[in-house]
Amino acid sequence: MRALKAVKINQAASELVKQANFSLRQDVLAALRKAWQGEKNKRAKNILKAILDNAAYAQKESLAICQDTGMPVVFAQVGQDLKILGNLTEAINQGISAGYRKYSLRNSIVADPLARGRSSFSPAVVHTEIVRGNKLKLTLLPKGFGCENKSQLKMFKPTAGLNEIKQFIIEAVKAAGPDACPPYVVGVGIGGTADYAGLLAKKALLKKINIKRKPSMPGTVPALERELLAKINNLKIGPMGLGGNTTVLAVNILTYPTHIAGLPVSVNISCHALRSAEIIL
Amino acid sequence: MKKITTPLDLKQIKSLKAGEQLLLSGTIYTARDQAHKRLTAAIKKRKKLPFKISDAVIYYCGPTQTPKGRVIGACGPTTSSRMDEFAPLLLAKGLRGMIGKGSRSLALKQAIKKHKGIYFVTYAGCGALLSKYVKRVKTLAYGDLGPEAVLKLEVENFPLIVAIDVNGGDVYGQD
């Protein structure tokens, strides 16, 4: 059994805070560049240029890409042959807090959702999963709340048609409209239970955006993602909601088996500043 | 590009049309959810506000902490519609301009028309870039709210797009 000291987890979490908040993901940058090159609407093109300039400036100056440095969401995949010396969740939260403080990010978390009060840097929402092996994989997704507020869940009937599901996803983006910093990345979770579909939708945001993707077999998830991408971009919401061809950069779907009586579908939208970073210890 | 300065009197904005791009220089005040709640309570109790509201411009923004050696951290706009229930009272008290992101309610648009206000949007999700236009920062009130405190920002050529003009013209086309 391999041993891992909690202090290592603490340090790694701080490092992820820096990476995720200062450096936009390479796949997101590539998708934004492609959108900027292909955008025909002049104002939309200018806004996409500002978004790219912002990412470059943040990286160069070690500044947060966005002032909403999010609710930190951490996915911890713990190898079953790994022994952690200390407390995993505490180490993650301490590392997150230290990182947010060190890099002058925003203390956006209120301890009591009802009483509100003074805000701090943590705790994160931590999803722990036991996997094979003796490693620990940590992924940090700082999730801004302008877009988190646009999340949706619908429990469809098992007899629902695919068109109804597509319509629900498209309507969720329409409802977000100009408010949640388009162009978006749309995370969709289909199947499982209400809570699990929500988790899948969030995890779908971690899927790498592939801008060079070839057409897929009809009826498959990649084909559905591609179809929804085209349909949503036809809405012409555009960057900042001011029109243009670029409403979404990607639609990412994850599925899981579900019950004969139901079909949960959850949508989790990300703003264009889709930030995440991962590390394996 | 057209330039405007604070205090933002009616003369400067009455010919502006939704969709127009501009640059703003002068003093703006940050206020978001909790600060709006407090400003509203202060008005209702006839208490003094932390800044002169007549011809003022409020920026819906909660910046990050300030990194060493900088004036301000990332400081982009937050979603404006959350302030829709509070803004009409502020407009009635003389507030002239609001800066944020996204669309507004019909009631807010009517309040803008009635009180001759204006709503601007700025580059959303570009908080690092926007920090370049902020020259000075001072905490004015509600320091206990942390990132939601009211800050006085001195800005130079801060980029804006008119989203709802004095006549209720709306760039989001929801007339």
Side-chain angles (χ1 to χ4, degrees):
Chain A
M1 203 142 197
R2 187 178 160 242
L4 179 65
K5 285 184 185 159
V7 66
K8 296 273 179 203
I9 299 169
N10 189 321
Q11 288 161 357
S14 290
E15 185 55 31
L16 290 179
V17 166
K18 178 184 171 192
Q19 260 186 51
N21 282 290
F22 294 169
S23 312
L24 198 56
R25 257 165 55 177
Q26 286 302 319
D27 60 322
V28 176
L29 268 177
L32 281 166
R33 274 194 210 107
K34 187 185 166 208
W36 170 62
Q37 282 158 2
E39 182 60 62
K40 303 277 181 256
N41 177 307
K42 200 181 155 203
R43 185 161 60 192
K45 203 176 171 81
N46 283 341
I47 296 166
L48 288 167
K49 180 71 173 40
I51 292 170
L52 286 165
D53 287 349
N54 180 67
Y57 188 68
Q59 166 98 326
K60 181 173 150 266
E61 299 288 326
S62 294
L63 265 176
I65 293 163
C66 176
Q67 73 289 339
D68 187 353
T69 51
M71 175 103 200
V73 180
V74 176
F75 299 91
Q77 289 185 315
V78 189
Q80 59 189 11
D81 300 324
L82 180 71
K83 182 175 169 55
I84 292 166
L85 307 174
N87 185 310
L88 173 68
T89 309
E90 266 178 28
I92 289 171
N93 281 323
Q94 283 167 2
I96 294 276
S97 241
Y100 269 70
R101 181 171 288 109
K102 181 174 176 191
Y103 300 111
S104 301
L105 302 179
R106 198 172 77 182
N107 42 327
S108 310
I109 312 303
V110 286
D112 186 324
L114 297 175
R116 315 300 294 187
R118 277 180 191 270
S119 57
S120 54
F121 297 110
S122 65
V125 170
V126 183
H127 299 288
T128 309
E129 192 186 348
I130 307 293
V131 297
R132 282 175 184 276
N134 62 1
K135 300 266 165 51
L136 168 67
K137 182 177 173 186
L138 289 179
T139 306
L140 168 65
L141 174 78
K143 188 62 166 44
F145 250 61
C147 53
E148 186 67 6
N149 279 337
K150 305 296 178 183
S151 307
Q152 294 205 23
L153 168 72
K154 184 159 180 179
M155 304 302 280
F156 283 91
K157 286 195 282 190
T159 50
L162 190 55
N163 276 336
E164 288 175 65
I165 294 166
K166 287 179 199 166
Q167 206 48 43
F168 169 65
I169 297 165
I170 293 167
E171 288 299 324
V173 178
K174 265 196 199 170
D179 290 358
C181 296
Y184 302 128
V185 175
V186 184
V188 181
I190 304 177
T193 48
D195 55 323
Y196 201 70
L199 179 58
L200 287 177
K202 180 66 74 359
K203 273 189 174 171
L205 297 176
L206 298 173
K207 265 173 76 170
K208 199 173 163 201
I209 303 169
N210 182 0
I211 53 169
K212 288 181 186 152
R213 202 160 70 186
K214 308 238 169 8
S216 315
M217 285 282 289
T220 61
V221 163
L224 181 58
E225 289 175 338
R226 212 182 153 89
E227 182 191 340
L228 284 167
L229 177 69
K231 284 199 164 131
I232 296 171
N233 277 330
N234 271 336
L235 297 174
K236 309 279 179 209
I237 293 170
M240 277 177 75
L242 297 173
N245 305 320
T246 318
T247 300
V248 283
L249 299 171
V251 177
N252 292 348
I253 301 175
L254 289 177
T255 66
Y256 192 78
T258 192
H259 191 277
I260 50 171
L263 175 46
V265 180
S266 175
V267 177
N268 197 281
I269 291 174
S270 173
C271 58
H272 58 75
L274 171 52
R275 294 147 286 173
S276 70
E278 58 183 49
I279 193 166
I280 296 172
L281 297 173
Chain B
M1 208 176 296
K2 209 176 271 182
K3 296 193 175 195
I4 53 174
T5 52
T6 61
L8 198 58
D9 50 42
L10 181 60
K11 214 174 122 192
Q12 288 189 80
I13 62 159
K14 65 182 178 193
S15 64
L16 298 177
K17 293 272 176 287
E20 224 172 301
Q21 289 189 53
L22 324 145
L23 302 173
L24 169 77
S25 296
T27 303
I28 60 178
Y29 303 95
T30 67
R32 45 176 291 159
D33 308 69
Q34 301 301 334
H36 273 76
K37 235 173 143 173
R38 290 195 189 177
L39 290 171
T40 302
I43 291 171
K44 285 183 176 162
K45 285 181 190 156
R46 300 177 186 282
K47 284 194 175 150
K48 198 167 174 264
L49 296 179
F51 56 91
K52 186 173 170 253
I53 197 154
S54 169
D55 288 342
V57 177
I58 285 182
Y59 181 25
Y60 301 143
C61 171
T64 61
Q65 308 229 324
T66 309
K68 271 204 185 84
R70 298 196 74 93
V71 172
I72 196 167
C75 55
T78 194
T79 309
S80 306
S81 58
R82 293 198 313 272
M83 270 51 82
D84 282 355
E85 61 173 299
F86 304 106
L89 180 63
L90 299 179
L91 285 162
K93 292 289 166 193
L95 175 71
R96 184 72 67 189
M98 294 155 283
I99 305 171
K101 69 171 165 107
S103 55
R104 308 301 298 262
S105 68
L106 189 62
L108 189 275
K109 205 186 308 187
Q110 283 163 348
I112 283 182
K113 271 170 84 170
K114 185 176 173 192
H115 303 294
K116 302 275 174 224
I118 190 162
Y119 168 53
F120 306 102
V121 289
T122 186
Y123 294 122
C126 298
L129 198 65
L130 289 171
S131 72
K132 288 198 210 181
Y133 306 98
V134 179
K135 303 301 170 187
R136 268 183 300 282
V137 178
K138 191 183 162 197
T139 303
L140 275 195
Y142 315 150
D144 61 301
L145 292 178
E148 297 200 72
V150 171
L151 309 177
K152 180 182 178 182
L153 308 184
E154 303 291 338
V155 298
E156 261 174 47
N157 295 325
F158 195 89
L160 301 176
I161 297 169
V162 180
I164 302 176
D165 61 38
V166 273
N167 299 312
D170 186 348
V171 79
Y172 295 115
Q174 299 153 330
D175 296 305

